[in-house]
Amino acid sequence: QVQLVESGGGLVQPGGSLRLSCAASGSIFRVNDMGWYRQAPGKQRELVAAITSGGRTNYADSVKGRFTISRDNAKNRVYLQMNSLKPEDTAVYYCNADIVRRDIYRDDYWGQGTQVTVSS
């Protein structure tokens, strides 16, 4: 089995910062692309940022210049540094990873989500 576990969400004032972390664990052979998605109430889930195993990154236009995605391949972890947070960043943030298991089964895995609330 494979698990993704997120941490680091919370309540922050506008202009503040948060750092999300996500750890992949279990019967892992290789972790390919990793990313962060978010879903606000009444809205569809959307891509926030993604990173390849080689470190190539991709960001939603709404977070460019404010958020930074990074990863530690040795620890199978991905991070999202969020600066200059705005109320519209309020959402549940989900970690996502394309993982090949040791039995060579490949699938798309999701974390349980972590709430980020930006409010004064």
Side-chain angles (χ1 to χ4, degrees):
Q1 295 292 341
V2 171
Q3 263 192 317
L4 296 182
V5 178
E6 301 114 333
S7 61
L11 173 65
V12 64
Q13 291 187 342
S17 298
L18 280 175
R19 187 181 191 231
L20 305 183
S21 298
C22 172
S25 63
S27 181
I28 296 172
F29 174 72
R30 184 178 66 244
V31 181
N32 297 320
D33 293 356
M34 303 185 82
W36 290 94
Y37 288 72
R38 67 186 180 187
Q39 187 166 19
K43 294 188 176 182
Q44 288 188 332
R45 189 173 297 189
E46 62 175 359
L47 174 68
V48 176
I51 185 168
T52 68
S53 57
R56 185 178 301 174
T57 58
N58 180 43
Y59 295 93
D61 288 343
S62 60
V63 307
K64 282 180 181 176
R66 300 187 298 121
F67 291 10
T68 302
I69 189 170
S70 61
R71 65 188 285 172
D72 184 333
N73 289 335
K75 296 181 179 179
N76 292 331
R77 287 179 176 263
V78 64
Y79 307 95
L80 186 68
Q81 178 66 43
M82 304 185 293
N83 298 328
S84 303
L85 282 160
K86 305 175 181 179
E88 51 263 43
D89 294 318
T90 295
V92 178
Y93 284 68
Y94 297 91
C95 175
N96 171 264
D98 174 10
I99 293 175
V100 180
R101 298 187 332 204
R102 288 177 183 162
D103 60 4
I104 313 302
Y105 177 80
R106 179 179 178 178
D107 205 355
D108 204 38
Y109 292 88
W110 293 89
Q112 79 285 358
T114 184
Q115 177 70 46
V116 171
T117 302
V118 185
S119 175
S120 55

